[in-house]
Amino acid sequence: MSGSSYTYDDGNGFAALAFLIVLLPLLLISIFAGYIISSFFLMKIFEKAGVQGKWRAWVPIYNTLVAAKLGDVSPWAYLIVVVGASVLSNIPVIGFVFGLVALAASVVVAWRIGLKFGKDWPLLLLWLIPGVGTLIWLGILAFGSARWNPAIAPAPWANTIAADKTVWDGVPVQPGQQVTGTGGPGYGGPGYGGPAAGSTPPPAPGSTPPPPAPPQF
C-alpha cells in the first residue's frame, strides 16, 4: 500500500539500554570499592615507611606521587610520563606502546618499594592479573610481616633526571637521595639530620670552645 511505512524493532535497543542501566552502577561501585581498598592498603604501607599523615594515602593522584618518592622516582617525572602516556595512547595503531610505558613506570616504582620490603621482582607478576593483581600486591606489603628497610642498593637511574630530588614535609628522604630543596620543618628539613636554622655549629674536633658570653644586666 503506497504511502504506508512500517517500522521494525526487535527490542535490541531496549535490551542494550537496560544492560547499560544495570552495568553502569556496578562499574561505578567496583571503581569506588577498588579505590577505597587500594587507599587503605597504601595507608598501611605509608605508615610502615614512616610517612606522616594518614590522609596522604586517600588523596587521588597525590598518593601515587608519594609512592613514587618511596620508589626513588621523581614524582614530577612520574606524573609527566603517566599523563603523557595517557594522552598519546589514543593515537591509532601505536597508542598501545605509550600505554605500556605508563605501566612500566608503575612497575618500576612497585619494584623499588618491594625491594625495601625484602620482596624481589617475581612478586610483580601479580601486575599481570587484570583488576585485582595490584590490590593483591598492595595487600601483601600492607599486612605482611616484612619491615620497611630503605637501605638498599641505589636505583639504576640515581644519577638521571628520573631520580627523586624533591623533599616533601612528612615524607621521609630516602637514603642516597640528592636533595635540591627542603619542604620546611619536617622530614628533610631543620631538625632532621642537621642543625636547626640559626643554631651554633659544634666546635671542630681538637679545638677549644670559646668561653660563654658574660651575662647581661
Side-chain angles (χ1 to χ4, degrees):
M1 182 177 179
S2 62
S4 299
S5 61
Y6 297 91
T7 59
Y8 176 75
D9 188 353
D10 60 358
N12 289 338
F14 291 104
L17 179 61
F19 180 75
L20 288 177
I21 292 176
V22 174
L23 179 63
L24 185 58
L26 293 177
L27 180 61
L28 293 177
I29 291 174
S30 299
I31 293 175
F32 181 74
Y35 179 77
I36 294 297
I37 295 173
S38 62
S39 296
F40 179 73
F41 288 167
L42 275 177
M43 183 182 69
K44 295 297 183 181
I45 292 174
F46 287 179
E47 287 179 354
K48 288 185 175 183
V51 176
Q52 297 179 348
K54 296 180 180 180
W55 61 269
R56 301 177 192 272
W58 297 92
V59 181
I61 301 178
Y62 177 69
N63 54 10
T64 60
L65 298 183
V66 173
K69 287 181 61 60
L70 296 179
D72 304 319
V73 175
S74 167
W76 310 121
Y78 180 78
L79 182 63
I80 291 173
V81 167
V82 173
V83 173
S86 299
V87 174
L88 296 176
S89 62
N90 296 316
I91 299 176
V93 182
I94 63 172
F96 76 96
V97 176
F98 297 101
L100 294 178
V101 171
L103 176 62
S106 299
V107 170
V108 164
V109 170
W111 169 58
R112 293 294 295 179
I113 292 177
L115 287 180
K116 295 177 183 181
F117 277 107
K119 308 296 184 181
D120 211 341
W121 66 266
L123 188 63
L124 296 177
L125 294 177
L126 291 171
W127 286 76
L128 300 179
I129 304 177
V132 299
T134 303
L135 292 179
I136 296 175
W137 178 84
L138 289 172
I140 291 174
L141 299 188
F143 294 99
S145 59
R147 295 179 177 272
W148 178 259
N149 176 26
I152 61 175
W157 57 87
N159 296 319
T160 70
I161 193 174
D164 181 26
K165 300 179 183 179
T166 60
V167 175
W168 286 349
D169 185 25
V171 181
V173 174
Q174 301 302 293
Q177 178 180 341
Q178 299 178 5
V179 176
T180 59
T182 61
Y187 286 11
Y192 288 81
S199 63
T200 302
S207 63
T208 302
Q216 301 294 329
F217 297 97

